[in-house]
Amino acid sequence: HAAHPELEAARTLLETRYFLPSTLLEASSAEIERQRALPGQISFVDAVDAALRVFLSSTRDDECPLSVLRGQVGDSIEGVDPVGELAPERSRDRALGALLSQLYVPAASLRLMHLDRAPEGHEVGFVQEHWVFQLSLPHDEHGYWAVVNRQGARAPYCYGFN
């Protein structure tokens, strides 16, 4: 049977705005419907967009994917300044490149959390008030989550847990 129209729209967004494979996004039509029925102004497609934006830009938390990868690529020899560290914008660019390359690997996934599951560090009811997406990257032991308030009351954010 056909995928949920919002899932199709979100997958198109991945391909056209982010140039990422549509297969990265995992969500069942039934789960999208369950969560759409909850109060909130933020649609599933807008939540996917916000989750990707925060994953690809945020270093707010030391355990966000960019922060973790920045630590891994920051030790690289090429392009070091005289003090021996990459300039902050250069290490950020490298971390973003590393993250994007991992998102193309088939084992990577951006999964909508189920209503009856709790993301790391939260109670089960947390998903009632937020769209929550778990990002899994190949060869990375961290779990990453993006949190998008359904009402738009708070800015989206990401965090990680190892």
Side-chain angles (χ1 to χ4, degrees):
H1 62 90
H4 193 282
E6 284 198 51
L7 179 58
E8 289 300 324
R11 286 183 167 158
T12 299
L13 174 91
L14 258 68
E15 291 176 330
T16 59
R17 181 172 296 166
Y18 296 98
F19 305 102
L20 291 170
S22 63
T23 52
L24 179 69
L25 182 60
E26 296 178 8
S28 72
S29 295
E31 190 61 28
I32 292 170
E33 277 305 310
R34 281 179 67 197
Q35 296 197 31
R36 279 187 56 205
L38 296 169
Q41 288 86 31
I42 307 296
S43 71
F44 173 73
V45 176
D46 289 342
V48 169
D49 189 26
L52 276 168
R53 271 198 321 268
V54 79
F55 278 135
L56 295 172
S57 66
S58 181
T59 53
R60 167 185 176 270
D61 185 298
D62 287 346
E63 299 295 321
C64 279
L66 271 187
S67 299
V68 171
L69 289 168
R70 196 177 197 167
Q72 293 171 2
V73 300
D75 300 331
S76 178
I77 302 296
E78 182 188 347
V80 291
D81 67 21
V83 186
E85 295 198 6
L86 286 171
E89 63 279 355
R90 186 106 185 250
S91 69
R92 183 182 175 86
D93 289 348
R94 284 185 162 196
L96 180 58
L99 176 56
L100 287 169
S101 68
Q102 288 193 50
L103 292 175
Y104 281 95
V105 176
S109 67
L110 179 66
R111 184 175 302 114
L112 175 66
M113 291 285 297
H114 288 252
L115 278 176
D116 53 357
R117 301 281 308 275
E120 193 67 46
H122 293 283
E123 301 295 321
V124 171
F126 185 78
V127 180
Q128 297 279 336
E129 297 174 18
H130 304 87
W131 292 101
V132 181
F133 298 89
Q134 182 176 10
L135 179 66
S136 299
L137 299 174
H139 318 299
D140 192 336
E141 296 157 9
H142 282 76
Y144 301 107
W145 291 267
V147 177
V148 181
N149 183 267
R150 293 184 193 278
Q151 303 294 341
R154 287 179 293 287
Y157 65 93
C158 67
Y159 69 99
F161 190 82
N162 189 357

